[in-house]
Amino acid sequence: MRYVIFLLGILLGGCQVTPKASEPLAQVGPRPLYLLSQLPEGDLKQRLEVCRQQPFYRSEFSLAHRGAPLMFPEHSRASYQAAIDMGAGIAECDVTFTADLQLVCRHAQCDLHQTTDILLRPELAAKCSIPFTPADPATGRVANARCCTSDITADEFSQLCAKMDGVNPAAMLAKDYIAGTPAWRSELYSQCAAPLTHRHSIALFQQQGVKMIPELKQPEVPMPFQQQYTQQYFAQQLIDEYKAAGVAPSQVYLQSFNWQDILYWLEHEPEFGRQAVWLDERYEQPGFDPQQPQSWQPSMAALKAAGLNIIAPPLWVLLRERDGTIVPTAYAKAARAAGLDIIAWSLERSAPLAKGADWYYQSLPLLARDDGAILQVLHVLAQDVGVIGVFSDWPGTTTFYANCLLAPE
C-alpha cells in the first residue's frame, strides 16, 4: 500500500513518500498545514496540498536544531524526543564541557542562567561566574547573570532542569529573571526537562536510530582550561566518545565554526573528518556580500581542496530576491560548483515573520513578510540551491516537505 501511495503522489503532482519499510512513521502535527494555509495560491501550494493526508516518515533532510526548541527546552531529552517523533533523521547536540572536563549538550558554554533553573538552586547559583544582579530602574541597570557549564561538574549539571531559552532583563528577583520566554514560543512542555550529557545524547540517538550532528562549541573560558585542557584535546574528546559508544563515522556529522577544528579532524580523524561540517560565519567579516566572491575568501574551490565536503551558512547567505522571486545567491552557486554539499540553518528559529524583519531572512525584505514564506524558502533551498538538509526548531515542517517533494532516500 505504501508504494501505491508513493506512485499516486507522483501522478498527482510530485508528492513522494520515502519507500523505506524500516523507517518509523513521523507525526508532523498541525504546523506544516498552518504554514501551508499561509502560502499564496500557486503551483507550490497545489503540490503540497496533495500530501496533507499521506503518512510521513523519518528523513535525513530534516535536521533537529537543538531538538524542537520552538516548544520544548533546547537540548533536553524531551526536546530531542519530540524532534525524532516529528521525523528528524539527524539530531544536534551542541557540545561544551564542565568543570570536571565532561562533555554536555548546551548551545553555549555560558548560557545556563537563561536555559536552566540554576539560579533557583542556591548551592549551584553560588558557583556562577557572575551571580544574579537585579535590575535597578533608578540607574537603568538591567538584570544580569553568567552561569557556565565550566562552573559546575557534570553531576551538578544533570541535576538542573532545562527551560525555554530567555531572560527578563527588568527582573528584580531571580525567579522572574529566568521567566523570559519570548511570547511566540511555548512553555507548555517546560516542566523540568532533563538536560543531557553528550554521552547520554549518543545513547538516546542510538536507541532511536537517528544520525548525529554534534557542534563543538567555541569555549567561553580561556584555553587551555585548567592549564592542560586544550582545544585539540576537546576536539578529540568529542570523537572519542563516539568511538567508545561504537558509533560508525558514517553516522556522525561533526560541526564547528572554528576552521582549525575542521582541519584537526581532517588530519587526525579522516573517517570522521570527511563528513565534518564547517559552519561558515564569514558573513561577520566587514564587506561580506553573498553576491561578491572576493568578500568571502578563501574560495569554495580552496575549501574543497583542503578536504572540506560540507559547508553550512545561515539561510540569508544562500537566498536573495530577484524580480519578485527567491533565487540562490552567487555564494550558493559557487559552493555547489566546487562540489560542496550545503546544510542551511535555521528554519523556524524566528518570531512570526509578520512581526517584522528577521536576521535569518534579511536578504528577503519584500518576500519574507509572513509565515507562508517559510515553505517558499524551504522549496528554493531544496530544489534550486540543492541543500542536503535544513536545520529547524520544529522538524515536523522539514519532514513534511521532504516526504512530499523530495526524491526517496
Side-chain angles (χ1 to χ4, degrees):
M1 177 58 70
R2 187 174 177 185
Y3 290 91
V4 172
I5 295 174
F6 169 68
L7 294 172
L8 180 61
I10 294 176
L11 294 173
L12 292 177
C15 181
Q16 300 183 15
V17 179
T18 306
K20 276 188 178 180
S22 60
E23 291 287 12
L25 280 166
Q27 304 295 330
V28 299
R31 180 164 173 79
L33 300 185
Y34 161 75
L35 296 176
L36 182 57
S37 73
Q38 304 301 300
L39 265 180
E41 295 299 328
D43 177 68
L44 178 58
K45 187 167 187 172
Q46 292 176 6
R47 294 174 67 188
L48 292 172
E49 284 281 2
V50 175
C51 305
R52 294 174 63 96
Q53 303 300 323
Q54 71 173 46
F56 298 98
Y57 299 87
R58 183 177 294 166
S59 171
E60 291 178 12
F61 179 83
S62 181
L63 278 66
H65 182 244
R66 314 186 200 181
L70 188 63
M71 295 185 72
F72 292 82
E74 62 186 46
H75 295 304
S76 67
R77 179 177 293 275
S79 189
Y80 289 132
Q81 189 61 59
I84 293 167
D85 290 342
M86 283 188 279
I90 308 177
E92 178 189 51
C93 167
D94 290 337
V95 181
T96 187
F97 54 85
T98 60
D100 54 345
L101 307 182
Q102 300 301 305
L103 302 183
V104 295
C105 298
R106 200 91 321 245
H107 177 66
Q109 186 168 42
C110 296
D111 72 2
L112 294 182
H113 54 283
Q114 65 190 58
T115 63
T116 75
D117 65 347
I118 189 170
L119 292 177
L120 303 185
R121 298 172 182 263
E123 290 186 4
L124 298 182
K127 297 184 178 184
C128 288
S129 298
I130 300 176
F132 171 70
T133 303
D136 184 350
T139 64
R141 184 185 70 198
V142 298
N144 187 40
R146 178 181 169 90
C147 303
C148 306
T149 58
S150 50
D151 293 334
I152 60 176
T153 68
D155 284 344
E156 290 169 334
F157 172 85
S158 295
Q159 297 171 26
L160 300 174
C161 294
K163 74 173 193 70
M164 297 299 286
D165 185 11
V167 297
N168 174 11
M172 305 297 291
L173 300 172
K175 68 179 182 64
D176 298 323
Y177 179 70
I178 70 172
T181 303
W184 49 274
R185 290 188 180 140
S186 173
E187 294 186 349
L188 184 62
Y189 305 109
S190 193
Q191 288 77 42
C192 196
L196 293 184
T197 67
H198 180 237
R199 287 194 181 99
H200 287 149
S201 78
I202 292 173
L204 174 64
F205 300 156
Q206 283 182 306
Q207 190 269 330
Q208 294 290 323
V210 298
K211 292 185 178 180
M212 307 163 207
I213 188 163
E215 179 188 339
L216 196 74
K217 300 303 296 188
Q218 191 65 27
E220 296 185 40
V221 294
M223 297 291 276
F225 182 64
Q226 295 181 356
Q227 299 183 334
Q228 84 278 1
Y229 190 72
T230 65
Q231 182 69 24
Q232 289 190 339
Y233 188 98
F234 181 29
Q236 185 63 50
Q237 184 183 10
L238 176 67
I239 292 179
D240 289 345
E241 293 201 351
Y242 288 104
K243 289 181 175 180
V247 180
S250 62
Q251 302 299 299
V252 182
Y253 296 82
L254 304 171
Q255 298 181 94
S256 181
F257 280 102
N258 185 345
W259 178 243
Q260 295 306 310
D261 291 338
I262 303 296
L263 292 178
Y264 175 85
W265 291 325
L266 287 169
E267 178 180 355
H268 296 278
E269 294 286 353
E271 290 189 353
F272 283 90
R274 67 171 56 100
Q275 283 195 162
V277 180
W278 185 39
L279 297 160
D280 187 0
E281 61 179 352
R282 288 178 290 176
Y283 56 81
E284 292 191 344
Q285 297 176 358
F288 175 85
D289 184 342
Q291 288 297 102
Q292 302 296 329
Q294 66 272 19
S295 74
W296 26 274
Q297 296 300 316
S299 69
M300 299 297 183
L303 294 174
K304 180 68 175 179
L308 183 70
N309 290 312
I310 308 173
I311 196 166
L315 301 176
W316 66 269
V317 171
L318 297 169
L319 304 173
R320 67 185 183 96
E321 296 179 349
R322 186 184 67 193
D323 300 329
T325 60
I326 302 172
V327 298
T329 60
Y331 174 108
K333 294 177 181 178
R336 291 299 308 279
L340 293 172
D341 286 328
I342 303 172
I343 291 174
W345 51 273
S346 293
L347 209 69
E348 300 178 282
R349 181 109 194 116
S350 311
L353 295 179
K355 290 184 177 293
D358 178 85
W359 186 84
Y360 290 96
Y361 297 86
Q362 61 186 277
S363 62
L364 306 173
L366 300 179
L367 299 179
R369 292 187 170 182
D370 61 63
D371 285 350
I374 292 173
L375 290 174
Q376 293 173 320
V377 162
L378 192 54
H379 188 57
V380 176
L381 288 172
Q383 304 297 335
D384 299 330
V385 176
V387 301
I388 62 171
V390 178
F391 276 110
S392 176
D393 280 24
W394 198 247
T397 300
T398 42
T399 300
F400 172 83
Y401 180 88
N403 275 254
C404 188
L405 293 184
L406 294 185
E409 297 170 357

